[in-house]
Amino acid sequence: MENQNQKCVMVIDEALPLGIISNTAAIMGITLGKQIPDAVGSDVIDKTGNSHMGIIEIPVPILKGNHSMLKDLRRRLYEPEFSDLTVVDFSDVAQGCNTYDDFTRKISGVSESELKYYGVAICGNKKLVNKLTGSMPLLR
């Protein structure tokens, strides 16, 4: 991954409870890690000789979103212009499932228009990511 031209962001619905926000970020982060393993640096050794697993080599700001903005953002990410971006979304359907089998069964019966997005993570070309999210404030 060529870090200087790449950017990753997460946009999460600020109205969600803190626990759901945390869970949304964690799940999207794990999925991004699987999709773009080259973004994770090598393991490191601290001064005392203890090993620590590598972390992502670029910052991942968490941006403030809301229900309608996330819906629009996800719709835009289906456009051909953004097809090279890595996109992870997390929805009410996913949050409401206890197993992956449950999720795959439920999501197959729900149209995209019915989904309520809790968060969307985007990684890829910095210019494209900025075009979509450059004016969004940080979630604090």
Side-chain angles (χ1 to χ4, degrees), residues 28-45:
M28 292 191 309
I30 290 168
T31 304
L32 276 178
K34 179 183 178 190
Q35 297 302 313
I36 50 169
D38 293 345
V40 178
S42 59
D43 294 352
V44 297
I45 306 295

Side-chain angles (χ1 to χ4, degrees), residues 83-100:
S83 64
D84 289 338
L85 296 175
T86 299
V87 178
V88 178
D89 60 58
F90 190 68
S91 69
D92 56 338
V93 173
Q95 179 63 42
C97 297
N98 291 321
T99 66
Y100 198 73

Side-chain angles (χ1 to χ4, degrees), residues 32-115:
L32 276 178
K34 179 183 178 190
Q35 297 302 313
I36 50 169
D38 293 345
V40 178
S42 59
D43 294 352
V44 297
I45 306 295
D46 67 25
K47 186 177 180 179
T48 58
N50 294 320
S51 179
H52 303 272
M53 288 189 177
I55 61 173
I56 190 165
E57 294 181 346
I58 58 175
V60 183
I62 310 283
L63 306 176
K64 186 188 308 187
N66 62 49
H67 171 70
S68 62
M69 189 274 298
L70 282 164
K71 191 71 155 172
D72 183 61
L73 176 63
R74 188 62 184 105
R75 180 191 52 75
R76 290 190 68 200
L77 285 160
Y78 285 116
E79 294 172 3
E81 176 182 8
F82 304 111
S83 64
D84 289 338
L85 296 175
T86 299
V87 178
V88 178
D89 60 58
F90 190 68
S91 69
D92 56 338
V93 173
Q95 179 63 42
C97 297
N98 291 321
T99 66
Y100 198 73
D101 286 342
D102 189 26
F103 171 63
T104 59
R105 187 178 66 257
K106 285 183 180 178
I107 198 75
S108 69
V110 177
S111 69
E112 194 279 334
S113 64
E114 296 174 274
L115 293 172

Side-chain angles (χ1 to χ4, degrees), residues 10-18 20-22 24 28 62-71 90 116-120 139:
M10 291 185 186
V11 184
I12 299 178
D13 186 341
E14 69 174 320
L16 295 171
L18 184 57
I20 302 295
I21 289 172
S22 300
T24 298
M28 292 191 309
I62 310 283
L63 306 176
K64 186 188 308 187
N66 62 49
H67 171 70
S68 62
M69 189 274 298
L70 282 164
K71 191 71 155 172
F90 190 68
K116 180 179 179 189
Y117 293 105
Y118 286 4
V120 177
L139 179 62

